[in-house]
Amino acid sequence: MRGLMMDTPLLVSSLIKHAAAQHAQSEIVSRTVEGPIHRYGYAQAHRRAQQLANALTALGIVKGDRIATIAWNGYRHYEIYFATSGMAAICHTINPRLHPDQIVYLLNHAADRYLFIDLTFVPLVELVAGRAAKLEGIVVMCDRAHMPDSKLDNLICYEELMDGAQDSYEWPIFDENTASSLCYTSGTTGNPKGVLYSHRATVLHSFAAALPAGLCLSESEAILPVVPMFHVNAWGIPYAATMTGAKQVMPGPGLDGASLHEILDAENVTFAAGVPTIWLGLLNHMREHGKRLDRLKYVVIGGSAVPASMIEAFENEFDIEVRQGWGMTEMSPIGSINTLKPWMQDLPPSQRMAIQIKQGRPPFGVEMMIESESGEALPHDGKAQGELLVRGPWVCSGYFGIDDAGVHRDGWFATNDVATIDEQGYMQIVDRTKDMIKSGGEWISSIDLENFAMSHPDVQQAAVIGVPHPKWDERPLLLVVPVPGKTPDKADIFNFLSDKVAKWWLPDDMVIVESFPIGGTGKVLKKELREEYKDYALPQ
Ligand code: ADP
């Protein structure tokens, strides 16, 4: 027997319509590329999104068309998110840190009809636009006064485009499984693949993200996504914040410690989200200048493993709670968030930390299992490690334009991450399959070694890679970026590690480096490090 409830589709447009009606004055504050801070409420944001939908219609955009963006986090980017999806077109966000040839590949693969860019990216787009076959025009996200001199001949001014359009638009109602946005994986471990989000997935993901054990969003909170809108839709924050009416603070291009501190402080941000490398910059800045952020209650850190030293720094020095998150572009991205169960709050600090460095528990909507190499389900005992498989309504069921990428098994998505799951449900990433070090037929987790190395007071960042070895296949090499002014001593570091890991896990050597190669999404590029050190002569 069918239930007698309305079959109202879950659409992205319903989020902003609701925010405009219920949270009209709650603000979206943006640091613009042009300079000044821009602020408006959800009601005005909604009117501008409607205006843009009319403008796009006038350009001939119809349902299913792809509109690309290369832009920072800001209010115009937000308007594009909602205008495109709302009219059943698809917002395709492109990461400007990719190589220009990759950007050309993405524009062509997605067959984008228009490209919206921030002023910063005019020189980049000059390099690529001529090679994007389907591109009909490029819209620069500024007013007439700021329009750049450019050799591109098909530039459109965003504000002029808007001026010619009405600010009321009836959002169409359609099937909730329609595509809403497109984001390609960053290609850290392979070629970029397009993940095509749906309206239904986006709305359900927003519910999960907003929960207290997630990003804890409501109209009393102010959230700053440091994570860019060109990377997995800023972890879905623009949608989840809109659903709840939370104030949104968009940092624009200012992602260094000083700029972040300034806007977090000035806008009374209570919640911020980003990758570990970003938070290192903020912590260094606050320590050097004796600054604090007393209104900031939580930082969500994810994208790569969060070292214990970073959790301790936020919590002990600055009284800011860290919530580690794990996810993937293919998961919209939230797969797990680490919050402690009530009884864990009173555990001694070392026991609490042993839980906090795990990647956390899945929210309702995500199911997880771990599987052995021979395909058996492994126990959730915190010890057995195997490939992590996930499923749920915001996990991808395939890639855009690829028939079968071979990443699904019996309805589960294979993450390529190796993990454990403990009796309490906490998942811990042991490593990415490709980053694990195979020594004498056994596996060494680079994440574990890095985590321990980073708890040494002289080590700011650590990366452990496998270097070919004639007898053992591979042996670990520890690369460290020192804390400014310190010179980590190899014997001292190895001594520090020796009571934390098994003897055969101890790296064979240590190299001090100034910095690590960082990829487009703020992660250390281990692939490049492995290439650089592939002929490294380990001491015998
Ligand atoms: P890419 O694969 O190109 O880096 P994603 O942003 O989709 O793009 O990265 C997802 C991967 O990032 C995960 O599969 C996992 O390996 C890693 N990751 C994300 N969050 C964490 C975390 N908290 N701890 C460890 N690894 C993480």
Side-chain angles (χ1 to χ4, degrees):
M1 188 184 288
R2 278 178 71 85
L4 291 170
M5 287 291 140
M6 292 185 188
D7 193 13
T8 309
L10 304 173
L11 299 178
V12 166
S13 56
S14 63
L15 300 173
I16 194 165
K17 227 170 121 178
H18 173 78
Q22 302 306 325
H23 310 284
Q25 281 96 30
S26 190
E27 284 181 318
I28 298 173
V29 180
S30 314
R31 183 190 272 138
T32 61
V33 178
E34 302 92 293
I37 296 283
H38 173 275
R39 57 180 76 233
Y40 62 13
Y42 280 109
Q44 202 186 340
H46 185 217
R47 279 196 298 278
R48 296 246 315 166
Q50 293 174 84
Q51 204 170 354
L52 181 56
N54 282 321
L56 288 170
T57 306
L59 288 176
I61 295 303
V62 295
K63 190 175 171 176
D65 282 347
R66 270 80 68 200
I67 302 292
T69 63
I70 305 184
W72 301 110
N73 295 6
Y75 70 102
R76 293 191 182 105
H77 206 176
Y78 177 88
E79 292 162 4
I80 299 164
Y81 264 41
F82 283 90
T84 50
S85 304
M87 64 191 291
I90 296 161
C91 181
H92 168 205
T93 52
I94 296 181
N95 186 339
R97 296 175 188 139
L98 294 175
H99 188 277
D101 290 347
Q102 267 184 321
I103 295 180
V104 171
Y105 168 81
L106 298 184
L107 288 164
N108 284 325
H109 189 266
D112 295 310
R113 288 189 59 190
Y114 281 86
L115 169 62
F116 284 67
I117 59 169
D118 263 332
L119 276 168
T120 321
F121 304 115
V122 173
L124 170 65
V125 172
E126 285 175 344
L127 294 178
V128 302
R131 291 189 280 155
K134 294 278 164 31
L135 214 51
E136 293 166 41
I138 296 160
V139 182
V140 187
M141 294 156 66
C142 65
D143 57 15
R144 174 47 58 191
H146 289 92
M147 279 299 279
D149 276 334
S150 167
K151 46 184 186 252
L152 292 166
D153 54 10
N154 50 355
L155 289 188
I156 300 166
C157 166
Y158 186 95
E159 292 303 331
E160 278 182 358
L161 179 70
M162 293 282 271
D163 283 347
Q166 296 285 328
D167 67 359
S168 78
Y169 177 93
E170 193 67 39
W171 300 115
I173 305 294
F174 45 83
D175 178 357
E176 64 185 16
N177 289 301
T178 304
S180 55
S181 64
L182 174 64
C183 178
Y184 284 73
T185 60
S186 51
T188 310
T189 53
N191 278 331
K193 296 194 278 297
V195 180
L196 192 58
Y197 305 108
S198 68
H199 285 257
R200 173 184 152 82
T202 305
V203 172
L204 291 175
H205 181 268
S206 303
F207 274 115
L211 287 172
L215 304 179
C216 194
L217 291 173
S218 76
E219 62 187 333
S220 319
E221 306 295 335
I223 185 156
L224 184 145
V226 190
V227 47
M229 290 170 80
F230 55 73
H231 186 220
V232 214
N233 295 331
W235 295 350
I237 291 169
Y239 306 111
T242 302
M243 174 182 269
T244 59
K247 172 178 170 179
Q248 298 188 54
V249 182
M250 309 287 205
L255 304 179
D256 58 288
S259 310
L260 277 179
H261 183 273
E262 185 188 292
I263 197 162
L264 286 163
D265 191 36
E267 296 300 330
N268 295 325
V269 171
T270 57
F271 216 115
V275 294
T277 40
I278 284 290
W279 299 123
L280 211 51
L282 180 72
L283 285 171
N284 284 343
H285 173 79
M286 292 204 291
R287 284 173 179 146
E288 260 171 50
H289 297 87
K291 304 258 180 177
R292 292 191 64 81
L293 283 168
D294 290 329
R295 293 219 175 67
L296 188 62
K297 294 186 279 191
Y298 306 101
V299 286
V300 171
I301 314 183
S304 43
V306 186
S309 53
M310 183 170 280
I311 302 177
E312 274 161 2
F314 270 113
E315 300 200 349
N316 302 345
E317 291 174 50
F318 298 102
D319 204 18
I320 296 167
E321 185 183 318
V322 170
R323 291 187 170 183
Q324 174 154 200
W326 167 87
M328 305 182 74
T329 308
E330 288 89 338
M331 297 186 75
S332 304
I334 297 177
S336 69
I337 294 197
N338 195 329
T339 51
L340 294 176
K341 296 186 179 187
W343 61 267
M344 294 170 173
Q345 305 285 351
D346 300 325
L347 290 172
S350 64
Q351 286 180 35
R352 279 180 42 157
M353 185 54 74
I355 304 167
Q356 283 177 291
I357 59 165
K358 299 191 176 196
Q359 276 64 24
R361 289 175 291 158
F364 169 77
V366 176
E367 284 181 90
M368 290 183 174
M369 68 175 287
I370 40 174
E371 204 179 69
S372 69
E373 274 176 53
S374 55
E376 289 149 45
L378 292 168
H380 294 185
D381 58 6
K383 295 189 191 74
Q385 54 186 59
E387 185 171 12
L388 180 63
L389 307 185
V390 293
R391 67 179 177 195
W394 56 82
V395 179
C396 76
S397 62
Y399 292 103
F400 181 60
I402 299 180
D403 280 345
D404 180 14
V407 293
H408 288 89
R409 298 210 276 273
D410 299 331
W412 293 80
F413 173 77
T415 63
N416 247 313
D417 282 344
V418 177
T420 60
I421 300 176
D422 68 20
E423 294 89 343
Q424 298 294 330
Y426 288 77
M427 182 275 289
Q428 181 163 24
I429 298 288
V430 175
D431 227 331
R432 282 184 182 228
T433 321
K434 290 187 176 129
D435 292 340
M436 292 203 67
I437 299 155
K438 188 161 201 181
S439 175
E442 301 283 343
W443 295 102
I444 296 175
S445 154
S446 65
I447 291 188
D448 272 359
L449 277 172
E450 287 157 8
N451 210 341
F452 288 127
M454 281 189 272
S455 7
H456 188 284
D458 296 348
V459 177
Q460 171 134 307
Q461 272 181 293
V464 177
I465 51 167
V467 172
H469 189 282
K471 179 165 175 203
W472 302 111
D473 251 347
E474 276 186 336
R475 288 297 301 156
L477 172 68
L478 169 64
L479 307 168
V480 300
V481 176
V483 165
K486 298 281 167 95
T487 311
D489 172 64
K490 183 171 122 181
D492 176 43
I493 302 277
F494 283 14
N495 188 36
F496 178 80
L497 292 176
S498 62
D499 63 348
K500 298 178 176 67
V501 298
K503 195 153 170 265
W504 63 276
W505 273 43
L506 278 179
D508 279 23
D509 208 358
M510 180 181 103
V511 179
I512 296 181
V513 298
E514 223 168 85
S515 63
F516 291 136
I518 301 290
T521 54
K523 304 183 195 196
V524 174
L525 291 175
K526 294 244 186 111
K527 201 161 74 171
E528 274 189 21
L529 289 175
R530 276 195 292 269
E531 185 54 31
E532 190 181 338
Y533 288 91
K534 69 176 189 301
D535 299 322
Y536 186 82
L538 293 167
Q540 294 306 306

Short mmCIF file of all heavy atoms in Angstrom, two decimals, residues 185-189 231-232 235 301-306 324-330 333 358-359 415-417 429 431-432 447 521 523, ligand 1:
data_model
loop_
_atom_site.label_atom_id
_atom_site.label_comp_id
_atom_site.label_asym_id
_atom_site.label_seq_id
_atom_site.Cartn_x
_atom_site.Cartn_y
_atom_site.Cartn_z
N THR A 185 36.78 15.14 -10.10
CA THR A 185 37.75 14.80 -9.05
C THR A 185 39.04 15.53 -9.41
O THR A 185 39.31 15.79 -10.59
CB THR A 185 38.02 13.29 -9.00
OG1 THR A 185 38.54 12.89 -10.27
CG2 THR A 185 36.76 12.50 -8.71
N SER A 186 39.83 15.83 -8.38
CA SER A 186 40.98 16.71 -8.64
C SER A 186 42.13 15.96 -9.31
O SER A 186 43.12 16.55 -9.68
CB SER A 186 41.44 17.36 -7.36
OG SER A 186 41.61 16.37 -6.38
N GLY A 187 41.99 14.67 -9.46
CA GLY A 187 43.03 13.94 -10.18
C GLY A 187 44.31 13.75 -9.40
O GLY A 187 45.38 13.59 -9.96
N THR A 188 44.21 13.77 -8.04
CA THR A 188 45.40 13.55 -7.21
C THR A 188 46.01 12.20 -7.57
O THR A 188 47.22 12.03 -7.56
CB THR A 188 45.01 13.54 -5.71
OG1 THR A 188 44.24 14.71 -5.46
CG2 THR A 188 46.21 13.54 -4.80
N THR A 189 45.16 11.22 -7.86
CA THR A 189 45.69 9.88 -8.14
C THR A 189 45.31 9.37 -9.53
O THR A 189 45.44 8.19 -9.80
CB THR A 189 45.15 8.89 -7.09
OG1 THR A 189 43.74 9.00 -7.06
CG2 THR A 189 45.69 9.17 -5.71
N HIS A 231 35.73 23.16 -5.26
CA HIS A 231 36.09 21.80 -4.85
C HIS A 231 34.92 21.17 -4.10
O HIS A 231 34.64 21.53 -2.96
CB HIS A 231 37.35 21.81 -3.98
CG HIS A 231 37.83 20.44 -3.64
ND1 HIS A 231 38.32 20.08 -2.42
CD2 HIS A 231 37.87 19.31 -4.39
CE1 HIS A 231 38.64 18.80 -2.42
NE2 HIS A 231 38.38 18.31 -3.61
N VAL A 232 34.26 20.21 -4.73
CA VAL A 232 33.07 19.55 -4.17
C VAL A 232 32.10 20.55 -3.55
O VAL A 232 31.63 20.38 -2.42
CB VAL A 232 33.39 18.50 -3.08
CG1 VAL A 232 32.37 17.36 -3.17
CG2 VAL A 232 34.76 17.99 -3.09
N TRP A 235 32.21 21.59 0.02
CA TRP A 235 31.72 20.55 0.92
C TRP A 235 30.20 20.67 1.17
O TRP A 235 29.68 20.29 2.21
CB TRP A 235 32.48 20.55 2.26
CG TRP A 235 33.94 20.19 2.13
CD1 TRP A 235 34.57 19.72 1.03
CD2 TRP A 235 34.97 20.25 3.15
NE1 TRP A 235 35.91 19.49 1.28
CE2 TRP A 235 36.18 19.81 2.56
CE3 TRP A 235 34.96 20.65 4.48
CZ2 TRP A 235 37.38 19.76 3.27
CZ3 TRP A 235 36.15 20.59 5.19
CH2 TRP A 235 37.35 20.16 4.58
N ILE A 301 37.93 19.89 9.84
CA ILE A 301 39.16 19.71 9.06
C ILE A 301 39.06 18.37 8.34
O ILE A 301 38.78 17.34 8.96
CB ILE A 301 40.42 19.73 9.95
CG1 ILE A 301 40.35 20.90 10.95
CG2 ILE A 301 41.66 19.81 9.10
CD1 ILE A 301 41.58 21.05 11.82
N GLY A 302 39.28 18.40 7.05
CA GLY A 302 39.20 17.15 6.28
C GLY A 302 39.95 17.30 4.98
O GLY A 302 40.63 18.31 4.74
N GLY A 303 39.82 16.31 4.13
CA GLY A 303 40.53 16.34 2.84
C GLY A 303 41.81 15.54 2.91
O GLY A 303 42.20 14.89 1.96
N SER A 304 42.52 15.62 4.02
CA SER A 304 43.61 14.69 4.32
C SER A 304 43.66 14.55 5.84
O SER A 304 42.98 15.29 6.56
CB SER A 304 44.93 15.12 3.70
OG SER A 304 45.15 16.46 3.85
N ALA A 305 44.46 13.59 6.30
CA ALA A 305 44.43 13.23 7.72
C ALA A 305 44.83 14.42 8.60
O ALA A 305 45.72 15.19 8.25
CB ALA A 305 45.35 12.06 7.97
N VAL A 306 44.16 14.57 9.72
CA VAL A 306 44.43 15.68 10.64
C VAL A 306 45.41 15.18 11.71
O VAL A 306 45.09 14.25 12.44
CB VAL A 306 43.13 16.15 11.32
CG1 VAL A 306 43.41 17.39 12.16
CG2 VAL A 306 42.05 16.41 10.29
N GLN A 324 37.10 16.31 12.84
CA GLN A 324 37.69 15.79 11.61
C GLN A 324 36.57 15.26 10.71
O GLN A 324 35.62 14.63 11.19
CB GLN A 324 38.68 14.68 11.92
CG GLN A 324 39.20 14.01 10.67
CD GLN A 324 40.56 13.36 10.78
OE1 GLN A 324 41.20 13.14 9.79
NE2 GLN A 324 41.01 13.07 11.98
N GLY A 325 36.70 15.52 9.43
CA GLY A 325 35.73 14.98 8.47
C GLY A 325 36.46 14.20 7.41
O GLY A 325 37.62 14.49 7.09
N TRP A 326 35.81 13.19 6.90
CA TRP A 326 36.36 12.43 5.77
C TRP A 326 35.31 12.39 4.69
O TRP A 326 34.11 12.27 4.98
CB TRP A 326 36.73 11.01 6.20
CG TRP A 326 37.01 10.09 5.03
CD1 TRP A 326 38.21 9.93 4.40
CD2 TRP A 326 36.08 9.26 4.34
NE1 TRP A 326 38.08 9.05 3.36
CE2 TRP A 326 36.78 8.62 3.29
CE3 TRP A 326 34.72 9.01 4.49
CZ2 TRP A 326 36.17 7.73 2.41
CZ3 TRP A 326 34.11 8.12 3.60
CH2 TRP A 326 34.84 7.48 2.58
N GLY A 327 35.75 12.48 3.45
CA GLY A 327 34.79 12.38 2.37
C GLY A 327 35.50 12.37 1.04
O GLY A 327 36.72 12.33 0.98
N MET A 328 34.73 12.42 0.00
CA MET A 328 35.29 12.36 -1.34
C MET A 328 34.40 13.16 -2.28
O MET A 328 33.20 13.31 -2.02
CB MET A 328 35.29 10.91 -1.86
CG MET A 328 36.00 9.94 -0.98
SD MET A 328 35.99 8.30 -1.72
CE MET A 328 37.18 8.52 -3.02
N THR A 329 34.97 13.62 -3.38
CA THR A 329 34.18 14.28 -4.41
C THR A 329 32.99 13.39 -4.77
O THR A 329 31.86 13.86 -4.95
CB THR A 329 35.06 14.53 -5.66
OG1 THR A 329 36.24 15.20 -5.24
CG2 THR A 329 34.34 15.35 -6.69
N GLU A 330 33.24 12.09 -4.82
CA GLU A 330 32.20 11.12 -5.20
C GLU A 330 31.10 10.99 -4.15
O GLU A 330 30.11 10.30 -4.36
CB GLU A 330 32.83 9.74 -5.42
CG GLU A 330 33.68 9.62 -6.68
CD GLU A 330 35.13 10.00 -6.48
OE1 GLU A 330 35.42 10.74 -5.51
OE2 GLU A 330 35.97 9.58 -7.28
N PRO A 333 30.54 16.00 -0.26
CA PRO A 333 31.50 14.92 -0.08
C PRO A 333 31.36 14.18 1.25
O PRO A 333 32.15 13.29 1.52
CB PRO A 333 32.82 15.69 -0.02
CG PRO A 333 32.46 16.92 0.77
CD PRO A 333 31.02 17.22 0.40
N LYS A 358 40.77 9.59 14.58
CA LYS A 358 40.06 8.78 13.59
C LYS A 358 39.22 9.71 12.70
O LYS A 358 38.97 10.86 13.06
CB LYS A 358 39.16 7.76 14.30
CG LYS A 358 39.99 6.81 15.17
CD LYS A 358 39.20 5.63 15.68
CE LYS A 358 40.16 4.71 16.45
NZ LYS A 358 39.63 3.37 16.67
N GLN A 359 38.78 9.19 11.57
CA GLN A 359 38.05 10.04 10.63
C GLN A 359 36.59 10.19 11.01
O GLN A 359 35.89 11.03 10.46
CB GLN A 359 38.23 9.52 9.20
CG GLN A 359 39.52 9.99 8.52
CD GLN A 359 40.80 9.50 9.17
OE1 GLN A 359 40.83 8.50 9.87
NE2 GLN A 359 41.88 10.24 8.96
N THR A 415 36.25 2.98 -2.39
CA THR A 415 36.86 4.31 -2.20
C THR A 415 38.35 4.38 -2.52
O THR A 415 38.89 5.48 -2.61
CB THR A 415 36.71 4.75 -0.72
OG1 THR A 415 37.44 3.81 0.09
CG2 THR A 415 35.27 4.82 -0.29
N ASN A 416 39.00 3.21 -2.61
CA ASN A 416 40.46 3.22 -2.78
C ASN A 416 41.19 3.63 -1.51
O ASN A 416 42.38 3.87 -1.52
CB ASN A 416 40.88 4.17 -3.90
CG ASN A 416 41.45 3.41 -5.06
OD1 ASN A 416 42.30 2.54 -4.87
ND2 ASN A 416 40.98 3.71 -6.24
N ASP A 417 40.46 3.78 -0.41
CA ASP A 417 41.07 4.06 0.88
C ASP A 417 41.05 2.76 1.68
O ASP A 417 40.09 2.00 1.61
CB ASP A 417 40.27 5.11 1.66
CG ASP A 417 40.53 6.52 1.17
OD1 ASP A 417 41.51 6.73 0.45
OD2 ASP A 417 39.73 7.41 1.51
N ILE A 429 41.03 6.00 8.58
CA ILE A 429 41.74 5.77 7.32
C ILE A 429 43.17 5.35 7.65
O ILE A 429 43.89 6.07 8.36
CB ILE A 429 41.76 7.05 6.45
CG1 ILE A 429 40.34 7.50 6.08
CG2 ILE A 429 42.63 6.85 5.21
CD1 ILE A 429 39.64 6.65 5.07
N ASP A 431 45.32 4.45 5.08
CA ASP A 431 46.06 5.09 3.99
C ASP A 431 45.23 5.03 2.73
O ASP A 431 44.29 4.25 2.62
CB ASP A 431 47.38 4.36 3.72
CG ASP A 431 48.54 5.34 3.60
OD1 ASP A 431 48.30 6.47 3.18
OD2 ASP A 431 49.67 4.95 3.93
N ARG A 432 45.64 5.84 1.74
CA ARG A 432 45.15 5.61 0.38
C ARG A 432 45.87 4.38 -0.13
O ARG A 432 47.07 4.20 0.14
CB ARG A 432 45.53 6.77 -0.53
CG ARG A 432 44.69 7.97 -0.37
CD ARG A 432 45.14 8.99 -1.41
NE ARG A 432 44.35 10.18 -1.23
CZ ARG A 432 43.75 10.84 -2.20
NH1 ARG A 432 43.87 10.45 -3.44
NH2 ARG A 432 43.04 11.89 -1.96
N ILE A 447 50.17 7.49 6.80
CA ILE A 447 49.43 8.45 7.61
C ILE A 447 49.82 8.34 9.09
O ILE A 447 50.05 9.34 9.77
CB ILE A 447 47.90 8.24 7.47
CG1 ILE A 447 47.45 8.62 6.06
CG2 ILE A 447 47.13 9.04 8.51
CD1 ILE A 447 45.94 8.64 5.88
N THR A 521 43.83 20.93 -4.41
CA THR A 521 42.86 20.96 -3.32
C THR A 521 43.56 21.05 -1.96
O THR A 521 42.99 20.70 -0.94
CB THR A 521 41.95 19.72 -3.36
OG1 THR A 521 42.77 18.56 -3.37
CG2 THR A 521 41.09 19.72 -4.59
N LYS A 523 46.29 19.42 -0.88
CA LYS A 523 46.87 18.20 -0.31
C LYS A 523 48.32 18.04 -0.77
O LYS A 523 48.66 18.43 -1.89
CB LYS A 523 46.09 16.97 -0.75
CG LYS A 523 44.63 17.06 -0.40
CD LYS A 523 43.91 15.81 -0.80
CE LYS A 523 42.41 16.09 -0.78
NZ LYS A 523 41.61 14.91 -0.78
P1 ADP B 1 41.29 13.67 -4.69
O1 ADP B 1 41.05 12.18 -4.69
O2 ADP B 1 41.58 14.15 -6.03
O3 ADP B 1 42.26 14.13 -3.64
P2 ADP B 1 38.97 14.21 -3.08
O4 ADP B 1 38.87 15.53 -2.48
O5 ADP B 1 37.73 13.60 -3.54
O6 ADP B 1 39.92 14.34 -4.30
O7 ADP B 1 39.73 13.30 -2.06
C1 ADP B 1 39.16 12.24 -1.39
C2 ADP B 1 40.22 11.51 -0.66
O8 ADP B 1 40.88 12.35 0.28
C3 ADP B 1 39.72 10.37 0.19
O9 ADP B 1 39.50 9.22 -0.60
C4 ADP B 1 40.85 10.19 1.19
O10 ADP B 1 41.92 9.45 0.65
C5 ADP B 1 41.32 11.60 1.39
N1 ADP B 1 40.75 12.16 2.63
C6 ADP B 1 39.70 13.00 2.74
N2 ADP B 1 39.49 13.31 4.03
C7 ADP B 1 40.42 12.66 4.75
C8 ADP B 1 40.74 12.58 6.15
N3 ADP B 1 40.07 13.25 7.08
N4 ADP B 1 41.77 11.77 6.50
C9 ADP B 1 42.47 11.08 5.60
N5 ADP B 1 42.24 11.15 4.27
C10 ADP B 1 41.23 11.92 3.85
#
